[in-house]
Amino acid sequence: MKLFLSWSGQRARMTAEALRSWLPDVLQHVDPWLSSQDIAVGGRATQEIATKLSEANFGIICTTPENQGSPWLNYEAGAVSNQVGGSVVPFLIGMRVAELTSPLSQFQAVLGDNEDEVLKFLADLNSTAGSPAIPRDRLDRAFRRSWPEFESRMRDIHTLHPQSGSSDAVERSEADMTEETLLIVRSLDHRLAELERSVLQAEGTSLRPTREVRRISEEKFIASSFAKLGWEVVRSSWEGARVIIVAQSTGDSSTPIYREFAERIAKSLGRDVVVRGESGTVIVRGNLP
């Protein structure tokens, strides 16, 4: 079972590191991945994170009062939950469930220092593993043996001041998020296309062209990127070396679309971008360097 550990800030990072080393002691079939530990020196962080998000069966979101509004934390939770069969659990540090805000509040949360809740969470996690799942009595024994050590680490993390070490938090740019969104969408579409290919081959039906699959993933990427700014993509079309995007604002909370945003879209798509309103007026252009 591939498990993605999401964090932002010192306390959440330390919790994620504790979970990464502890979980396999209880559930040997769990394969946790943590960006601060598992990205090789010289590796492309954005691409590796996108790959692991698209592969994850389960996401643990290490959540503190100071990080629950983090765009990246919420973005990664959404990426895992949108997977086929993907599940998300906010793992709370120094806060109660009632203090959890949207969108993380839509998921069933676990109090990280509550022995009974953590045991129930691991039992639920184990039950979703299928054939690799271990018997409940074996899980209980492994949990009781290893819990005191994990509890001690969590107690130390709780004593840290919420703001101490805040500079250790990963600051990833909106450009990274744009690139990562496209990588995840393409990866998911590739997996779905492979499933579709297998079904169609078995039925003797013609296959969908690769170019069509790629176009679908790019349209999803465009729609997702504009939605983050509060804009709705009405339609998009590929005209030669350009992509024409017709978009409309969805309300007062919409963020203006600047040239830098259009240029990031253009870089990700490998084409010049023209954004128009429904009236046909050009809002902004983004050209490849």
Side-chain angles (χ1 to χ4, degrees):
M1 177 179 290
K2 296 183 181 298
L3 193 154
F4 188 94
L5 293 166
S6 181
W7 62 276
S8 176
Q10 186 194 35
R11 293 203 296 172
R13 174 179 56 80
M14 293 176 68
T15 300
E17 290 172 351
L19 286 167
R20 178 181 177 272
S21 62
W22 176 64
L23 285 172
D25 290 341
V26 184
L27 299 174
Q28 291 74 30
H29 54 76
V30 168
D31 180 20
W33 189 88
L34 175 61
S35 59
S36 65
Q37 299 278 324
D38 296 318
I39 296 179
V41 176
R44 290 190 62 196
T46 298
Q47 188 165 3
E48 289 196 45
I49 291 171
T51 299
K52 296 303 178 182
L53 278 169
S54 68
E55 294 174 348
N57 309 111
F58 218 97
I60 295 181
I61 313 300
C62 297
T63 310
T64 62
E66 64 270 19
N67 79 1
Q68 64 173 317
S70 163
W72 273 105
L73 212 66
N74 289 288
Y75 166 70
E76 290 177 343
V80 175
S81 67
N82 287 331
Q83 294 273 51
V84 177
S87 299
V88 169
V89 170
F91 196 86
L92 307 186
I93 307 111
M95 62 185 298
R96 298 172 299 167
V97 174
E99 297 171 329
L100 198 59
T101 58
S102 181
L104 291 179
S105 58
Q106 68 181 293
F107 304 110
Q108 187 69 36
V110 173
L111 297 176
D113 59 353
N114 186 297
E115 181 176 358
D116 291 337
E117 286 201 14
V118 175
L119 175 58
K120 182 182 182 302
F121 161 56
L122 294 190
D124 292 342
L125 184 61
N126 183 56
S127 67
T128 65
S131 58
I134 63 175
R136 178 57 191 263
D137 59 341
R138 180 180 164 192
L139 185 154
D140 287 345
R141 289 195 301 271
F143 179 87
R144 301 301 180 194
R145 285 196 303 267
S146 60
W147 172 256
E149 180 182 354
F150 180 76
E151 183 182 35
S152 177
R153 293 186 67 176
M154 290 300 297
R155 192 179 300 116
D156 292 340
I157 293 169
H158 274 272
T159 61
L160 293 175
H161 190 278
Q163 299 302 320
S164 67
S166 59
S167 61
D168 290 342
V170 171
E171 295 295 337
R172 288 178 284 184
S173 67
E174 187 178 338
D176 282 343
M177 185 182 290
T178 302
E179 179 185 358
E180 189 171 316
T181 301
L182 179 58
L183 289 167
I184 291 171
V185 169
R186 283 180 174 169
S187 177
L188 290 174
D189 273 342
H190 176 73
R191 291 169 61 189
L192 291 174
E194 288 299 315
L195 290 172
E196 181 185 49
R197 182 183 300 273
S198 299
V199 172
L200 292 178
Q201 284 178 333
E203 295 177 348
T205 310
S206 59
L207 302 176
R208 178 184 293 178
T210 302
R211 181 179 299 178
E212 182 181 344
V213 173
R214 181 181 178 88
R215 181 65 53 82
I216 291 171
S217 70
E218 290 177 342
E219 288 175 348
K220 290 179 180 177
F221 159 69
I222 292 170
S224 174
S225 298
F226 275 76
K228 288 183 175 65
L229 300 182
W231 286 71
E232 178 185 359
V233 174
V234 178
R235 60 183 177 275
S236 54
S237 59
W238 278 247
E239 300 179 4
R242 295 188 306 173
V243 178
I244 309 297
I245 301 170
V246 178
Q248 63 181 7
S249 172
T250 58
D252 296 337
S253 62
S254 299
T255 302
I257 297 178
Y258 294 110
R259 181 183 180 88
E260 291 79 8
F261 172 78
E263 288 178 343
R264 286 197 293 271
I265 299 293
K267 181 179 178 182
S268 295
L269 296 175
R271 295 170 182 264
D272 290 343
V273 167
V274 178
V275 181
R276 299 180 183 272
E278 284 196 280
S279 64
T281 305
V282 174
I283 298 174
V284 68
R285 297 178 186 268
N287 299 323
L288 288 173

